[in-house]
Coordinates of all heavy atoms in Angstrom, one line a residue:
F1338 N 37.2 110.4 0.1 CA 36.6 109.9 -1.1 C 36.3 108.4 -0.9 O 36.8 107.8 0.1 CB 37.5 110.1 -2.3 CG 38.9 109.4 -2.2 CD1 39.1 108.2 -2.7 CD2 39.9 110.1 -1.5 CE1 40.3 107.6 -2.6 CE2 41.1 109.4 -1.3 CZ 41.4 108.2 -1.9
V1339 N 35.6 107.8 -1.8 CA 35.2 106.4 -1.8 C 35.8 105.8 -3.1 O 35.8 106.4 -4.1 CB 33.7 106.2 -1.8 CG1 33.4 104.7 -1.9 CG2 33.1 106.8 -0.5
D1340 N 36.4 104.6 -2.9 CA 37.0 103.9 -4.1 C 35.9 103.7 -5.2 O 34.7 103.5 -4.9 CB 37.6 102.5 -3.6 CG 38.3 101.8 -4.8 OD1 39.3 102.3 -5.2 OD2 37.7 100.8 -5.3
K1341 N 36.4 103.6 -6.4 CA 35.5 103.5 -7.5 C 34.7 102.2 -7.5 O 33.5 102.1 -7.9 CB 36.2 103.7 -8.9 CG 35.4 103.6 -10.1 CD 36.2 104.0 -11.3 CE 37.0 102.8 -11.8 NZ 36.2 101.7 -12.4
D1342 N 35.4 101.1 -7.1 CA 34.8 99.8 -7.2 C 34.5 99.1 -5.9 O 33.5 98.4 -5.7 CB 35.7 98.9 -8.1 CG 35.9 99.4 -9.5 OD1 34.9 99.7 -10.1 OD2 37.0 99.5 -9.9
F1347 N 38.1 106.5 2.3 CA 39.4 107.0 2.8 C 39.2 108.4 3.3 O 38.5 109.3 2.7 CB 40.4 107.0 1.7 CG 40.6 105.6 1.1 CD1 40.1 105.3 -0.1 CD2 41.4 104.7 1.7 CE1 40.2 104.1 -0.7 CE2 41.5 103.4 1.2 CZ 41.0 103.1 0.0
V1349 N 42.1 111.0 4.2 CA 43.5 111.2 4.2 C 43.9 112.6 4.7 O 43.5 113.6 4.2 CB 44.1 111.1 2.7 CG1 45.6 111.2 2.7 CG2 43.6 109.8 2.1
K1492 N 44.2 95.1 0.7 CA 44.2 95.6 -0.7 C 44.7 97.0 -0.8 O 45.3 97.5 -1.7 CB 42.9 95.4 -1.4 CG 42.8 95.9 -2.8 CD 41.4 95.7 -3.4 CE 41.3 96.3 -4.8 NZ 40.0 96.1 -5.4
F1493 N 44.3 97.8 0.3 CA 44.7 99.2 0.3 C 45.5 99.5 1.5 O 45.2 100.4 2.3 CB 43.4 100.1 0.4 CG 42.5 100.0 -0.9 CD1 41.4 99.1 -0.9 CD2 42.8 100.7 -2.0 CE1 40.6 99.0 -2.0 CE2 42.0 100.6 -3.1 CZ 40.9 99.7 -3.1
S1494 N 46.6 98.8 1.6 CA 47.4 98.8 2.8 C 48.5 99.9 2.8 O 49.0 100.4 3.8 CB 48.1 97.5 3.1 OG 48.9 97.1 2.0
T1495 N 48.8 100.4 1.6 CA 49.9 101.4 1.5 C 49.3 102.8 1.0 O 48.2 102.8 0.5 CB 50.9 101.0 0.5 OG1 50.4 101.0 -0.8 CG2 51.5 99.6 0.8
I1496 N 50.0 103.8 1.3 CA 49.6 105.2 0.8 C 49.5 105.3 -0.7 O 48.6 106.0 -1.2 CB 50.5 106.3 1.4 CG1 49.9 107.7 1.1 CG2 51.9 106.1 0.9 CD1 48.6 107.9 1.8
D1497 N 50.4 104.5 -1.4 CA 50.3 104.5 -2.8 C 49.0 103.9 -3.3 O 48.4 104.4 -4.3 CB 51.5 103.8 -3.4 CG 52.8 104.5 -3.3 OD1 52.8 105.8 -3.1 OD2 53.9 103.9 -3.3
D1498 N 48.6 102.8 -2.7 CA 47.3 102.2 -3.0 C 46.1 103.2 -2.9 O 45.2 103.3 -3.7 CB 47.0 101.0 -2.1 CG 48.0 99.9 -2.3 OD1 48.5 99.8 -3.4 OD2 48.2 99.2 -1.3
V1499 N 46.2 104.0 -1.8 CA 45.1 105.0 -1.6 C 45.1 106.1 -2.7 O 44.1 106.5 -3.2 CB 45.3 105.6 -0.2 CG1 44.3 106.7 0.1 CG2 45.2 104.5 0.9
W1500 N 46.3 106.7 -3.0 CA 46.4 107.7 -4.0 C 46.0 107.2 -5.4 O 45.4 107.9 -6.1 CB 47.8 108.3 -4.0 CG 48.2 109.2 -2.8 CD1 49.3 109.1 -2.1 CD2 47.4 110.2 -2.3 NE1 49.3 110.1 -1.1 CE2 48.1 110.8 -1.2 CE3 46.1 110.8 -2.5 CZ2 47.6 111.8 -0.4 CZ3 45.6 111.8 -1.7 CH2 46.4 112.3 -0.7
N1501 N 46.4 105.9 -5.7 CA 46.0 105.4 -6.9 C 44.4 105.2 -7.0 O 43.9 105.4 -8.1 CB 46.6 104.0 -7.1 CG 48.1 104.1 -7.5 OD1 48.6 105.1 -8.0 ND2 48.8 103.0 -7.1
S1502 N 43.8 104.9 -5.9 CA 42.4 104.9 -5.9 C 41.8 106.2 -6.2 O 40.8 106.3 -7.0 CB 41.9 104.4 -4.5 OG 40.5 104.5 -4.4
L1503 N 42.3 107.3 -5.6 CA 41.8 108.6 -5.9 C 42.0 109.0 -7.4 O 41.1 109.6 -8.0 CB 42.5 109.7 -5.0 CG 42.1 111.1 -5.3 CD1 40.6 111.3 -5.0 CD2 42.9 112.1 -4.3
I1504 N 43.1 108.6 -8.0 CA 43.4 108.9 -9.4 C 42.3 108.2 -10.2 O 41.8 108.8 -11.2 CB 44.8 108.5 -9.8 CG1 45.9 109.4 -9.1 CG2 45.0 108.5 -11.3 CD1 47.3 108.9 -9.2
Q1505 N 42.0 107.0 -9.9 CA 41.0 106.2 -10.7 C 39.6 106.9 -10.6 O 38.9 106.9 -11.5 CB 41.0 104.8 -10.2 CG 42.2 104.0 -10.6 CD 42.2 102.6 -10.1 OE1 41.1 102.0 -9.8 NE2 43.4 101.9 -9.9
V1506 N 39.3 107.3 -9.4 CA 38.0 108.0 -9.2 C 37.9 109.3 -10.0 O 37.0 109.5 -10.7 CB 37.8 108.4 -7.7 CG1 36.7 109.3 -7.5 CG2 37.6 107.1 -6.8
Q1507 N 39.0 110.1 -10.0 CA 39.0 111.3 -10.8 C 39.0 111.0 -12.3 O 38.3 111.7 -13.0 CB 40.2 112.1 -10.4 CG 40.2 112.7 -9.0 CD 41.5 113.3 -8.6 OE1 42.6 112.9 -9.0 NE2 41.4 114.3 -7.7
Q1508 N 39.7 110.0 -12.7 CA 39.7 109.6 -14.1 C 38.3 109.1 -14.6 O 37.9 109.5 -15.7 CB 40.7 108.5 -14.4 CG 40.9 108.2 -15.9 CD 41.4 109.3 -16.7 OE1 42.2 110.2 -16.3 NE2 40.9 109.4 -18.0
Y1509 N 37.7 108.4 -13.7 CA 36.3 107.9 -14.1 C 35.4 109.0 -14.3 O 34.6 109.1 -15.3 CB 35.8 107.0 -12.9 CG 34.3 106.6 -13.1 CD1 33.9 105.6 -13.9 CD2 33.3 107.3 -12.3 CE1 32.5 105.3 -14.1 CE2 32.0 107.0 -12.5 CZ 31.6 106.0 -13.3 OH 30.3 105.7 -13.4

Side-chain angles (χ1 to χ4, degrees):
F1338 60 97
V1339 175
D1340 185 70
K1341 184 172 76 72
D1342 301 309
F1347 303 100
V1349 184
K1492 180 180 178 182
F1493 296 97
S1494 58
T1495 69
I1496 187 63
D1497 288 338
D1498 297 330
V1499 176
W1500 289 132
N1501 287 334
S1502 174
L1503 178 59
I1504 291 172
Q1505 291 178 22
V1506 168
Q1507 292 172 327
Q1508 184 62 34
Y1509 169 79

